[in-house]
Amino acid sequence: MRPDILNPLFSEVQSLRGVGPRLNKPLERLKLHRVKDMLYHFPNSFMHRNYRETLDIGDVGQHIIIKITVINMRNGHNYRSPLRIIGEDKNGDTVSLIFFGKNAGWAKKQLPMESHRIISGKLEQYGDELQIIHPDTIFEIKADSNQSQSIADTIASHVPLIEPIYPLSEGITNGRLGVLVSEALAVRPHIEEWIEPSLLKKNNWKSWYESIENMHSEYNEHAHNRLAYDELLANQITMQLVRAEMDNRKCLPISGDDRLTKLLQLPFEMTGAQKRVIAEIEGDLEQSRPMLRLLQGDVGSGKTIVALMALLRCVESGYQGAFLAPTEILARQHFANIQQLVAPLPVNVAILTSRDKGKLREATLMGLADGSIDIIIGTHAIFQEAVTYKNLAMAIIDEQHKFGVSQRLMLTKKGRGVPHLLVMTATPIPRTLALACYGEMDVSQIDELPPGRTAIETVVMPDNRMDDIINGLERHLSAGKQAFWVCPLIEESSSGKAAAEARAEMLQKYFGKKIGIIHGRMKSQDKDKVMESFINKEILLLVATTVIEVGVDVPNASLMIVESADSFGLAQLHQLRGRVGRGSEKSVCLLIRSTILSETARARLSLMRKSNDGFEIAEEDLNLRGAGEMIGTRQSGSSPFQVASDTQVRAWLSTAADDAKLLLQRDGGLSGTRGEAARILLYLFERDAGVATLRSG
Ligand code: ADP
Ligand code: MG
């Protein structure tokens, strides 16, 4: 049960004053569901209003507060000719105040001739004229308040000198959002401190209560660091609790006898790295403490075969193993590959995805329940409620970065005891983030590619050379070779459908029927059909969104074109690049960039050209981002954090890990005052799965 003290934070935003149905949509888009989300919706920047005694052209572009006398008014007739009030400063210099949709009647009340007013707004220049369009504040000053001190006081009581500027969405204004944040701030509770007092002191950190408010009143690095640290600490406590929990559970020890693996006829010799990793996994499997291992290996490093070896071990011991792929396409590809490899072996492999229905599905479910199926390959469907296993002893999760703690705990319900777990990823996770994403896991690395791979050449070209690009593509396709053309995701549609369709249409003019298109909004059957035509070479050019990012293997495709490459994360580009270079043919990755590039974007793309090493790319990318990082910018794709930036993760994560360890050891599972506070922290960050594993008391 969530501690009562947090209840105000978990109320819906609708409980705040003045949130009517019209705000539902914008708040939804901003993912502001609860009061707590409001508090953690930090401003992007702060607007400073500067009080000025006189008008100054040097202030153009700034928000100013100034005292004026109204000397003229011209009525507006319609939208094109707005209401225009001329004000004069104490030197007689003038500024036009422009109002759309206001009339003379309104002006007579608000800004009558010869009145003195203080106004605030953004000073702009139009021709020779200084303008303020729609001043945000207008107020009267008493005749006697000419003393600058008393003017300053009056101003301070009418208009904030610093105003937070929030990330917005259509349908909600910054002012409105600011009011909602203040309401949220007003209900926030004082909470017992969970951070070690000495750490607070050393870093000059204030309480959560104060820091949250500071974030909304003026940017404050200390406050941001403190709140980021909260998130990291919650993460590390959860990781360690889950690890401890797993260590306490029993699993089925797996000690194979090589009877199946030795029958396997591989068309190649395993690399040293593959052999080493397999040995590491086998070592884990023999224990009665469940394996919890992350296998990192660059695209094409040969993780699938490692997975198969582990699965066969499991079958040798008389148990079932499951292999989970992130997409339908990939599940089917794995199934086809593995089925072919194990054909001569007495092993029964089946596939299960949400597409399998009716009798076939029934039969598969049956086989899993009675144990006649040894290895099941599929999508998430294989872990759904209705699926029961006879004796599932191991699960392998392929390319699944979001396979979090709660999914892991769900798995524990499927096996007899906790299944051994192997998570495989080609996404090179920088060392710093690995601790956060997989801190509780052991890590194996395949740091060697199979021999004979030709390096992929990476070329960067600006998008104003489209003609050359099309010509090059033409030559490539005429030679009977295949290519990918990847379009960026567009924020709005989030499927990239529009961009890919428009591009496909344009390319169709050149290449006609040789083109296929594939994007995230398509039904999985349709996607598979297109993929099959591509594999069968009926289609030579595949226009796609990043749905092709993971796993797909088409050796004859030796050209990868990525449009708007500067809008992609480097890890993602590296993944895309890994789709080619799978055959004997020399492969090329062509990155099309915007004509105009920022310094950082330039450096990032040049890094892609220079390096083929996923880990190096990930580390460097993090460095490059760190340099230009601002509050509120998106973190790299692999970060599991909302509050903490990549830079903060690097600065504080290992401290948080040590702190979590101390806390758990000393307080024996979170009892004591600080332990109690830490529980509240976990609830605040909704690490309920972690909390659930806590021993009571
Ligand atoms: P990934 O690590 O990206 O999942 P895969 O397992 O799909 O890589 O392997 C990529 C390709 O390399 C496959 O065609 C696979 O058969 C091949 N392969 C794997 N290991 C070796 C090896 N030791 N020698 C040669 N080819 C290999
Ligand atoms: Mg793979």
Side-chain angles (χ1 to χ4, degrees), residues 434-445:
L435 184 59
C437 300
Y438 301 106
E440 83 296 15
M441 298 185 124
D442 300 311
V443 180
S444 290
Q445 262 189 35

Side-chain angles (χ1 to χ4, degrees), residues 268-271 274 298-304 450 453 553 582:
F268 47 72
E269 171 81 3
M270 295 260 199
T271 63
Q274 283 170 318
D298 219 340
V299 280
S301 61
K303 293 184 292 296
T304 319
R453 297 273 163 88
D553 202 4
R582 300 194 156 223

Side-chain angles (χ1 to χ4, degrees), residues 377-439:
I377 299 175
T379 55
H380 272 102
I382 63 177
F383 294 136
Q384 274 161 3
E385 283 303 316
V387 186
T388 53
Y389 291 83
K390 175 154 182 257
N391 55 11
L392 180 70
M394 177 169 60
I396 300 183
I397 319 290
D398 193 24
E399 302 291 359
Q400 195 94 49
H401 319 124
K402 300 262 148 65
F403 196 81
V405 167
S406 48
Q407 281 105 322
R408 264 173 242 162
L409 290 172
M410 175 193 74
L411 254 186
T412 62
K413 299 195 185 95
K414 289 291 180 195
R416 292 210 334 244
V418 186
H420 294 280
L421 186 65
L422 179 68
V423 178
M424 308 203 298
T425 179
T427 301
I429 297 159
R431 276 186 298 281
T432 39
L433 284 182
L435 184 59
C437 300
Y438 301 106

Side-chain angles (χ1 to χ4, degrees), residues 41-114:
H41 189 63
F42 299 142
N44 278 330
S45 62
F46 290 87
M47 180 179 88
H48 290 257
R49 294 190 173 88
N50 306 298
Y51 175 63
R52 296 286 188 249
E53 300 244 302
T54 56
L55 290 160
D56 182 347
I57 201 158
D59 284 332
V60 165
Q62 307 257 355
H63 284 260
I64 62 166
I65 301 173
I66 188 158
K67 184 177 147 195
I68 52 129
T69 309
V70 177
I71 58 166
N72 201 348
M73 189 217 27
R74 263 177 279 146
N75 197 3
H77 302 292
N78 53 41
Y79 188 80
R80 293 242 162 82
S81 64
L83 172 69
R84 183 180 290 266
I85 309 275
I86 312 294
E88 161 185 281
D89 70 4
K90 69 177 190 187
N91 292 344
D93 291 327
T94 60
V95 58
S96 298
L97 312 179
I98 313 280
F99 298 91
F100 294 92
K102 300 282 187 204
N103 58 26
W106 177 86
K108 274 191 188 120
K109 275 200 207 117
Q110 297 294 317
L111 293 152
M113 288 294 289
E114 281 168 40

